[in-house]
Amino acid sequence: MKKYYYTDRKEKFGPFTKEELIEKNISRGTLVWTSELSVWKPAGNIPELAEMLPPPIPEGSDFSNDADISRDKYYMQPHSWLTESILVTLFCCLPFGIAGIVNAAKVKSYFNAGQIEEAKHSSKQAKKWTAIGFWIGIVFSVLYLLTLTV
Amino acid sequence: MRRYIKIAFVILLLIGLAVIYQKFDPGQIRVFPTCPFKLLTGFKCIGCGSQRTIHYMLNLKFDLAIRENVLIVVATPYLVASAFFDIIKSEQRLIRLRNILFGEKAIWIILAVMITFWILRNITCFEQFLL
C-alpha cells in the first residue's frame, strides 16, 4: 500500500493511506510526498490524488499559493554533496569529508521529513566541509610538490 | 553554457589524471603526494594507498589493487553510480533504487563501514584480513 505524507512546510504528517490523506482536508496546493517521489509536489499535480480532490476554485485565495509553488519548481531535494564528500574523504585523507557525509545524510533525512529549510541548511554545511577538505588536500599536494623541487 | 565549460574542464582533468596514474606507479616515483594524515600521526587514513590502487585499477590489475586499499576498489562502482544519479536528476524513473542506494540509511552504513575500515587497518593483527 502506498503511503502518503503531507507538510504544512514546517512539519511532516503521515504516513497515511490515500483515503486518510483526503480526509485531512488537504487542498490542491498542499505539498505531498511519497517514497516514489523525489520532490514534494502539490496534491493537485499527483494524478491519483487530483481526481479525489475538489476541482480548483477559479478565483480563490488558494490560487496564489499554487503559483508560489510552481515558481519554486516544487521542492527539489537540495544537493546532498554525497559523491563529492566521499571522494574528499577517500582522496584528501582528512576528516572534513566525514563532516560532509554526515551533512549529506542530514539533507536526505530533513528533506524526507518535509523540513525543506533545514535540508537547505545541511546542504550548505555539506558543501562547506567538502570544499574545505578539497582545498586543504590541493594545497597540501602543491606544497608537497614544492618541497620536492627544493 | 558555464555549466558545460565546467563539465568539459572536469572531464579533461580526469582524463589527464587517469593518463598520469596509468603510466606512473606512485609506489615507485616520489612526486606523488603522500598522505598528510599519515605524515602527521603515523597512522594510516581511510584513503592511504588510494593512488597505488588507482594505478593498479587503471592497469586492470585488480588482484594488486585490493591489497593496497580494498575500500577504494569497492567504492569505485558505487561512486560512479552516485555521480550518474547526480547528473540525471531522475524524478520518477529509478527513484526507488536511488532511495535505497543513496538514502539516509545507506549513508549511515557507509560511514560505519569507512570508520571501521579506518580503525581496523591500523591494528596490526587485523591488517592481514583486509587483504
Side-chain angles (χ1 to χ4, degrees):
Chain A
M1 193 71 203
K2 210 164 154 184
K3 294 290 181 193
Y4 294 85
Y5 300 84
Y6 76 91
T7 180
D8 60 4
R9 301 193 185 201
K10 282 201 178 71
E11 266 181 83
K12 177 171 86 164
F13 304 97
F16 304 113
T17 64
K18 194 162 66 176
E19 289 72 21
E20 283 168 341
L21 185 73
I22 300 295
E23 280 168 25
K24 299 289 168 193
N25 273 329
I26 61 165
S27 76
R28 301 179 82 85
T30 308
L31 290 174
V32 175
W33 182 78
T34 76
S35 60
E36 282 157 28
L37 290 176
S38 61
V39 295
W40 286 84
K41 277 187 166 183
N45 291 49
I46 299 172
E48 73 264 25
L49 294 177
E51 64 193 31
M52 293 173 80
L53 290 163
I57 306 152
E59 288 161 79
S61 54
D62 226 324
F63 225 61
S64 57
N65 203 8
D66 271 357
D68 275 353
I69 292 159
S70 60
R71 241 184 284 123
D72 283 358
K73 288 193 196 155
Y74 309 151
Y75 276 115
M76 286 289 282
Q77 181 197 289
H79 188 52
S80 71
W81 296 91
L82 178 65
T83 321
E84 293 88 341
S85 54
I86 294 178
L87 284 171
V88 165
T89 309
L90 290 179
F91 295 109
C92 294
C93 302
L94 286 159
F96 300 109
I98 302 267
I101 300 174
V102 169
N103 277 294
K106 281 190 192 166
V107 171
K108 309 230 174 195
S109 96
Y110 279 133
F111 178 77
N112 290 351
Q115 290 162 289
I116 316 289
E117 285 310 312
E118 287 84 347
K120 280 184 187 163
H121 176 74
S122 295
S123 174
K124 275 187 198 141
Q125 291 288 317
K127 183 183 180 180
K128 186 181 84 183
W129 288 114
T130 306
I132 290 174
F134 178 77
W135 287 113
I136 290 178
I138 295 286
V139 167
F140 182 86
S141 300
V142 171
L143 287 179
Y144 180 83
L145 289 174
L146 285 177
T147 60
L148 286 181
T149 59
V150 174
Chain B
M1 191 61 195
R2 248 189 90 194
R3 186 164 180 242
Y4 287 113
I5 294 171
K6 231 175 174 178
I7 291 171
F9 178 74
V10 171
I11 289 171
L12 280 176
L13 194 72
L14 286 177
I15 292 173
L17 284 173
V19 170
I20 292 170
Y21 277 99
Q22 195 267 330
K23 279 210 147 71
F24 303 103
D25 182 357
Q28 306 293 326
I29 300 166
R30 273 182 70 225
V31 292
F32 291 92
T34 186
C35 170
F37 184 80
K38 199 176 179 191
L39 202 66
L40 290 171
T41 64
F43 289 107
K44 282 185 185 173
C45 81
I46 305 173
C48 278
S50 60
Q51 297 180 102
R52 274 161 282 157
T53 307
I54 285 171
H55 170 72
Y56 287 134
M57 283 203 289
L58 288 169
N59 286 290
L60 305 177
K61 292 176 184 162
F62 291 98
D63 52 327
L64 294 172
I66 53 173
R67 262 176 238 163
E68 297 296 342
N69 188 326
V70 67
L71 190 66
I72 302 270
V73 180
V74 176
T76 303
Y78 181 81
L79 285 167
V80 169
S82 180
F84 171 74
F85 278 105
D86 281 348
I87 292 163
I88 61 162
K89 294 215 190 312
S90 69
E91 194 171 316
Q92 293 290 8
R93 285 176 307 148
L94 303 170
I95 199 73
R96 195 167 282 180
L97 185 68
R98 199 191 79 172
N99 285 343
I100 295 168
L101 282 177
F102 307 100
E104 198 200 341
K105 261 184 217 156
I107 300 176
W108 292 125
I109 292 169
I110 290 163
L111 260 182
V113 168
M114 283 177 132
I115 290 167
T116 312
F117 177 73
W118 191 358
I119 295 168
L120 289 187
R121 75 190 311 208
N122 282 301
I123 303 171
T124 325
C125 57
F126 285 110
E127 235 175 356
Q128 54 184 309
F129 297 114
L130 298 171
L131 302 158

